[in-house]
Amino acid sequence: MAFPTVRQRRLRNNQAIRNLVKENHVNVHDLIYPIFVTEGEAIKNEIPSMPGVFHFSLDQLETEIKEITELGLQSIILFGVPNKKDDVGTQAYDDQGIAQKATRLVKQINPNLLVMADTCLCQYTDHGHCGIVKKSDNGKEAVIENDSSLALLVKTAISQAKAGADVIAPSNMMDGFVTAIRSGLDESGFEHIPIMSYAVKYSSAFYGPFRDAAHSSPQFGDRKTYQMDPANAREGIREAECDVIEGADILMVKPGMAYMDIIHTLKQNFDLPIAAYNVSAEYSMIKAAAEKGWIDEKAVAMELLVGFKRAGADMIITYFAKDAAKWLRADSV
């Protein structure tokens, strides 16, 4: 049957009925807030390319964690910005590294706040790559070693778990990273710690502001030999399937906005929870346009977040988390 018997507008007549038939909702508990911690004292520096996002020294972290808690956010993901780097990313797996110290401090401030640990080497290495760099056989081109990098990633994950991280979130895109980290955690008595795998992570132009924030830009070349080609979709299924077999507990798609088809595909093909990373440039573009008065920041940001949910994301890592929590609270009054 069709018009005039069927009238689609009947269920759009007023806000109450629109709320009743709403298919997807963004809840404050869906949101994960990224935090950048750095060495030093009395540091709360806004990241120029990411308005409203800051570098925090440990002595400034308590105020931020208390605000996050008061807003009802339950989860954060920590990124450490060390003051020393070397070719093997030693600070990533140092028990006294900045991320480990921040994790312990957050757990002292709010033991119930879920702390996810980004498990990668790029912001800790002086070359900015996510693994060990070796010269190729011809002695000219540098290559990122896969298997030898896994050992350092395992050490990093174990160190983060020892510090109190509730979830290990490996973002390095080395082959076999999930099985290596799962085995390492289990052997160290952390079999209860879940892994949120950056399962489908693209070599994307949307990471620019993050690399400013984490001081993690590659010093040579790019990451195309280990992060995915943006043109590929079927490859993402293969990547995710490997991580499922290896023991991942949550699958992430990064970036989110330009890859909602991938989020949907993973939701249709796997029964694990799906995370979307609303990455730095996606955030900064909205902030910049809003500052120019070209768009309604709240409306656009919330439309994007509900888009992730509609695509199939169960959780969203987003720099809008605090803003969204405030908007959701105001709308519920």
Side-chain angles (χ1 to χ4, degrees), residues 302-317:
M302 292 305 296
E303 185 174 334
L304 179 59
L305 295 180
V306 81
F308 293 133
K309 294 286 289 184
R310 188 185 65 250
D314 300 288
M315 61 198 78
I316 306 164
I317 301 174

Side-chain angles (χ1 to χ4, degrees), residues 243-260:
D243 290 358
V244 171
I245 293 170
E246 292 176 17
D249 300 283
I250 301 168
L251 301 175
M252 186 203 297
V253 176
K254 180 183 180 183
M257 185 170 71
Y259 299 90
M260 289 200 187

Side-chain angles (χ1 to χ4, degrees), residues 273-288:
I274 306 298
Y277 200 140
N278 177 206
V279 298
S280 58
E282 297 168 356
Y283 168 85
S284 296
M285 288 189 300
I286 292 174
K287 284 287 186 180

Side-chain angles (χ1 to χ4, degrees), residues 65-274:
I65 296 303
K66 287 183 176 179
E67 180 185 6
I68 288 167
T69 302
E70 195 278 330
L71 287 171
L73 294 167
Q74 295 186 330
S75 306
I76 63 171
I77 183 166
L78 281 176
F79 296 94
V81 183
N83 57 2
K84 295 180 181 179
K85 302 187 179 193
D86 57 35
D87 61 346
V88 292
T90 304
Q91 289 295 303
Y93 42 88
D94 187 335
D95 288 344
Q96 296 304 313
I98 183 61
Q100 287 82 350
K101 289 190 288 188
T103 300
R104 288 192 289 268
L105 179 57
V106 170
K107 284 300 185 180
Q108 290 175 12
I109 298 167
N110 181 359
N112 296 318
L113 188 64
L114 186 112
V115 177
M116 296 179 170
D118 178 73
T119 305
C120 197
L121 302 178
C122 60
Q123 62 262 47
Y124 300 96
T125 55
D126 53 16
H127 47 72
H129 280 284
C130 304
I132 294 174
V133 172
K134 293 285 181 68
K135 289 288 185 180
S136 64
D137 292 340
N138 62 21
K140 296 180 180 180
E141 297 177 357
V143 297
I144 288 76
E145 290 275 320
N146 192 93
D147 295 8
S148 57
S149 299
L150 294 178
L152 299 186
L153 294 165
V154 171
K155 289 177 65 176
T156 301
I158 293 170
S159 178
Q160 292 167 334
K162 285 168 58 180
D166 299 290
V167 178
I168 297 300
S171 60
N172 53 86
M173 287 297 283
M174 296 294 111
D175 288 339
F177 69 90
V178 173
T179 194
I181 290 172
R182 183 73 274 159
S183 296
L185 290 172
D186 291 354
E187 291 168 5
S188 299
F190 296 111
E191 64 279 350
H192 60 289
I193 298 291
I195 294 175
M196 180 174 70
S197 169
Y198 286 62
V200 187
K201 182 179 179 181
Y202 285 88
S203 180
S204 172
F206 284 91
Y207 301 150
F210 173 89
R211 291 177 180 176
D212 290 342
H215 302 164
S216 62
S217 296
Q219 298 305 297
F220 66 88
D222 52 43
R223 295 175 179 154
K224 295 181 185 296
T225 65
Y226 47 102
Q227 295 179 358
M228 279 185 50
D229 187 331
N232 293 355
R234 294 193 304 271
E235 183 183 359
I237 299 176
R238 298 198 299 272
E239 285 278 4
E241 184 176 23
C242 285
D243 290 358
V244 171
I245 293 170
E246 292 176 17
D249 300 283
I250 301 168
L251 301 175
M252 186 203 297
V253 176
K254 180 183 180 183
M257 185 170 71
Y259 299 90
M260 289 200 187
D261 61 320
I262 308 301
I263 296 170
H264 181 72
T265 298
L266 262 58
K267 189 70 171 182
Q268 298 301 307
N269 282 275
F270 304 102
D271 60 2
L272 292 181
I274 306 298

